[in-house]
Amino acid sequence: MEEPARLGHAMTDIQTFLNTLHDRYQPLDKGQLASYIPELTKADPNWFAISVVTVDGRVFQVGNVDQKFTIQSISKIFVYGMALADHGRDRVLKKVGVEPTGDPFNSLIRLDEDSKRPDNPMINAGAIATTSLIQGPTPTDRLNRLLDMFSRYIGHQVYVDVPTFLSERATGHRNRAIAHLMLNFGMIDEHIEDVLDLYCQQCALLVTCQDLATMAATLANRGLNPLTGEQAVDSEHIRDILSVMYTCGMYNFAGEWAFRVGIPAKSGVSGGILAVVPNQAGIAVFSPLLDKNGNSVRGLRVFENLSQTYGFHLFDLSMGRCRFREGLAGAIADDASPRPAIAP
Ligand code: GLU
């Protein structure tokens, strides 16, 4: 990654800094659109949005913040949370591990030799196993439960983009192969097509960049959506969700991300990256040009700049204080309604 843009003062207004980053990286046109799901090639490579939602409900954003796109792999963390809620940690751990892999997200599976578990819930094998744990008597009930869960995180009703769902269903032979292999080892039951449909539907959920930031802010706020006051997931599951995000959320860049940016995050092949600054804010970037690992090129630049400037790396202890919290406390929200400042 290149040297981050540095603004003179760490307390520079967050909105101004987001605008600066947006201006700086809009011309960066490196990377490729994901094409293995044909519908994703219809994205505009110029789309670029950055959103921050704080745990006290302030919103800062810039760019194509209302542009809808499909959530793709970012759905995996929320479905993992629901599986934890449905079954508890011990049972979920029997079906899917928490070990990072150096393999691509869609790798044709390395099931653990003894347990036969996929390594973690962020690779496709683990995510399909996780989706198979979602409870409900019929496929429609299970889909509705997922949609209800997502809408609690987002704060409004959500929909599946049917063309993207059908596009992935028609071409998702690799995921089908992964599911059959797991069936062979008894890790999922025989309703493979139902599970794969639900997995493709969760990936085809339509969101905006602000939606992603709100979802991240909900995780940052112990499961309570800061814009609606609704509890989206029981707070006892937040630690597990954030832990797998931190170690496994950024494809083959997860270690590098943890080193450089230092907060739990998840990205998806449609170009979203969502990250959680615990107890402070959710941040999202959307820009569909991807690097070779499948991460948004502009997104990575923005997050590295934000982390360096505001010092929100979880292990950045050098300043003895968090510049991000101070920056937020000093900033004025663009949605204007006065809200309490973040406690020091
Ligand atoms: N639906 C995509 C797949 O399974 C999600 C991939 C991603 O965003 O990483 O291939």
Side-chain angles (χ1 to χ4, degrees):
M1 279 185 194
E2 71 206 50
E3 235 339 79
R6 284 191 182 281
L7 289 195
H9 197 277
M11 297 282 288
T12 301
D13 179 75
I14 296 260
Q15 184 62 52
T16 308
F17 193 48
L18 298 187
N19 297 347
T20 303
L21 292 177
H22 193 272
D23 289 350
R24 181 173 192 214
Y25 292 120
Q26 180 72 70
L28 177 66
D29 59 0
K30 289 195 186 127
Q32 306 278 329
L33 296 175
S35 59
Y36 74 99
I37 300 174
E39 199 64 20
L40 295 182
T41 59
K42 296 184 181 165
D44 180 342
N46 293 316
W47 285 337
F48 183 24
I50 311 173
S51 298
V52 175
V53 175
T54 67
V55 295
D56 63 359
R58 290 175 296 157
V59 179
F60 306 90
Q61 46 189 353
V62 58
N64 306 103
V65 289
D66 297 323
Q67 178 59 51
K68 287 191 167 54
F69 56 96
T70 56
I71 190 169
Q72 296 301 331
S73 262
I74 297 174
S75 63
K76 293 171 180 174
I77 54 183
F78 302 99
V79 178
Y80 185 59
M82 189 163 210
L84 289 169
D86 278 0
H87 298 278
R89 178 198 278 159
D90 291 344
R91 182 158 146 65
V92 173
L93 275 176
K94 288 204 170 76
K95 294 287 178 185
V96 52
V98 289
E99 200 58 38
T101 71
D103 297 335
F105 69 96
N106 60 358
S107 107
L108 273 181
I109 217 173
R110 271 180 325 130
L111 296 175
D112 181 85
E113 242 169 66
D114 300 323
S115 70
K116 307 294 184 224
R117 295 179 309 178
D119 290 299
N120 69 67
M122 303 292 114
I123 52 169
N124 285 1
I128 293 166
T130 306
T131 299
S132 78
L133 293 173
I134 297 309
Q135 291 195 317
T138 67
T140 308
D141 291 315
R142 294 191 282 275
L143 174 62
N144 285 337
R145 286 193 69 227
L146 280 191
L147 293 177
D148 286 348
M149 178 268 293
F150 282 116
S151 58
R152 287 196 299 277
Y153 277 99
I154 292 175
H156 58 75
Q157 262 203 311
V158 291
Y159 303 94
V160 169
D161 184 55
V162 175
T164 307
F165 161 55
L166 295 176
S167 180
E168 183 166 7
R169 182 162 71 167
T171 55
H173 308 301
R174 233 183 141 85
N175 284 340
R176 195 158 281 113
I178 289 171
H180 277 277
L181 206 52
M182 289 197 292
L183 172 63
N184 177 62
F185 287 111
M187 295 311 284
I188 58 177
D189 70 22
E190 71 277 13
H191 300 110
I192 283 192
E193 291 304 323
D194 289 347
V195 172
L196 286 168
D197 275 0
L198 189 57
Y199 172 74
C200 295
Q201 285 160 340
Q202 77 180 55
C203 290
L205 189 88
L206 279 171
V207 291
T208 65
C209 192
Q210 181 180 339
D211 292 339
L212 288 187
T214 308
M215 297 166 96
T218 301
L219 293 174
N221 198 32
R222 293 166 225 180
L224 189 78
N225 182 323
L227 300 184
T228 63
E230 194 175 4
Q231 193 74 36
V233 60
D234 202 293
S235 60
E236 74 177 280
H237 304 303
I238 298 293
R239 194 187 83 173
D240 294 345
I241 297 170
L242 295 184
S243 299
V244 290
M245 285 170 71
Y246 193 72
T247 52
C248 314
M250 296 298 289
Y251 304 122
N252 281 356
F253 195 71
E256 194 94 14
W257 172 279
F259 188 81
R260 289 169 184 269
V261 181
I263 47 173
K266 182 75 195 89
S267 70
V269 290
S270 51
I273 302 179
L274 155 170
V276 175
V277 189
N279 293 320
Q280 293 183 58
I283 307 175
V285 178
F286 166 57
S287 179
L289 290 176
L290 307 178
D291 68 9
K292 64 176 179 6
N293 293 313
N295 293 315
S296 166
V297 175
R298 294 188 184 107
L300 293 182
R301 299 292 195 283
V302 168
F303 274 106
E304 194 175 29
N305 273 270
L306 282 171
S307 180
Q308 294 220 6
T309 299
Y310 288 104
F312 56 53
H313 192 298
L314 293 179
F315 310 124
D316 185 353
L317 312 175
S318 58
M319 303 294 288
R321 63 197 171 89
C322 180
R323 285 165 279 156
F324 189 59
R325 183 166 53 207
E326 292 169 7
L328 286 176
I332 300 159
D334 67 356
D335 64 347
S337 50
R339 294 195 175 86
I342 294 175

